[in-house]
């Protein structure tokens, strides 16, 4: 009897782990591959998007976000808008990639389907790629990166977090 209970527990546990393992192995999005330093942009990557595809996708995302902001509904922006075909064999130009990462970061910052961590990662990549170009994109990426930082709740015990010690409250 005891063996049956343990076996049932093992089957139940395996059933709970299998779906999460499948989710963990899901293919990363193009934005994750292109705008995350640890993924995708090494010489071993099999394909890249063309500069034109990156710029066109970035422009389309920025235009969609502008329309959604005007309606007051930027949270409905879909991360699927970031899909770009990985077809070229050449690493994209830094500024084209920066434009794409900046648009991806802004979409992740505003979209209900995005995350602030992704927004921070993508916008930091955009800033780093554009900072030496003299393009105003670097300033825009830095501004948006600051907006991500302001929107995140502080962790307890960190400077600026609510609920932490305040001046004059004792040791």
């Amino acid at each position: 009897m005891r063996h049956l209970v343990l076996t049932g527990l093992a089957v139940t546990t395996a059933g709970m782990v299998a779906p999460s393992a499948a989710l963990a192995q899901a293919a990363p999005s193009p934005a994750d591959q292109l705008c995350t330093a640890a993924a995708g942009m090494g010489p071993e990557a099999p394909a890249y998007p063309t500069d034109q595809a990156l710029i066109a996708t970035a422009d389309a995302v920025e235009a969609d976000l502008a329309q959604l902001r005007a309606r007051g509904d930027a949270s409905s922006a879909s991360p699927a808008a970031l899909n770009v075909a990985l077809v070229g064999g050449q690493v994209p130009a830094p500024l084209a990639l920066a434009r794409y990462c900046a648009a991806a970061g802004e979409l992740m910052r505003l979209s209900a389907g995005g995350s602030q961590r992704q927004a921070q990662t993508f916008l930091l990549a955009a800033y780093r790629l554009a900072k030496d170009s003299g393009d105003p994109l670097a300033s825009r990426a830095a501004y948006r990166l600051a907006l991500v930082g302001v929107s995140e709740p502080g962790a307890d015990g960190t400077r600026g977090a609510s609920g932490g010690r305040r001046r004059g409250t004792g040791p």
Side-chain angles (χ1 to χ4, degrees):
M1 178 71 155
R2 183 176 178 164
H3 184 291
L4 290 174
V5 172
L6 291 177
T7 305
L9 180 63
V11 170
T12 304
T13 305
M16 291 169 42
V17 172
S20 63
L23 289 175
Q25 294 178 358
S29 72
D32 288 327
Q33 292 175 338
L34 297 168
C35 300
T36 304
M41 290 305 291
E44 68 282 349
Y48 302 98
T50 63
D51 290 352
Q52 295 81 9
L54 286 172
I55 292 168
T57 302
D59 290 347
V61 166
E62 293 284 357
D64 288 346
L65 287 174
Q67 288 177 349
L68 290 171
R69 275 190 206 107
R71 291 193 327 231
D73 190 26
S75 66
S76 68
S78 172
L82 297 171
N83 289 339
V84 62
L86 304 174
V87 295
Q90 187 174 1
V91 177
L95 199 52
L97 187 56
R99 285 180 67 179
Y100 175 80
C101 292
E106 184 68 354
L107 188 140
M108 289 297 153
R109 185 178 77 81
L110 297 173
S111 173
S115 77
Q116 296 302 299
R117 183 162 311 274
Q118 283 178 311
Q120 182 178 19
T121 300
F122 298 167
L123 290 167
L124 186 57
Y127 172 75
R128 287 179 176 161
L129 287 163
K131 72 179 178 177
D132 294 329
S133 70
D135 192 281
L137 177 62
S139 298
R140 188 171 356 129
Y143 171 73
R144 289 174 173 176
L145 191 56
L147 291 175
V148 171
V150 176
S151 67
E152 286 184 343
D156 284 344
T158 60
R159 183 176 180 174
S162 61
R165 288 191 327 173
R166 302 195 191 284
R167 278 191 181 147
T169 60

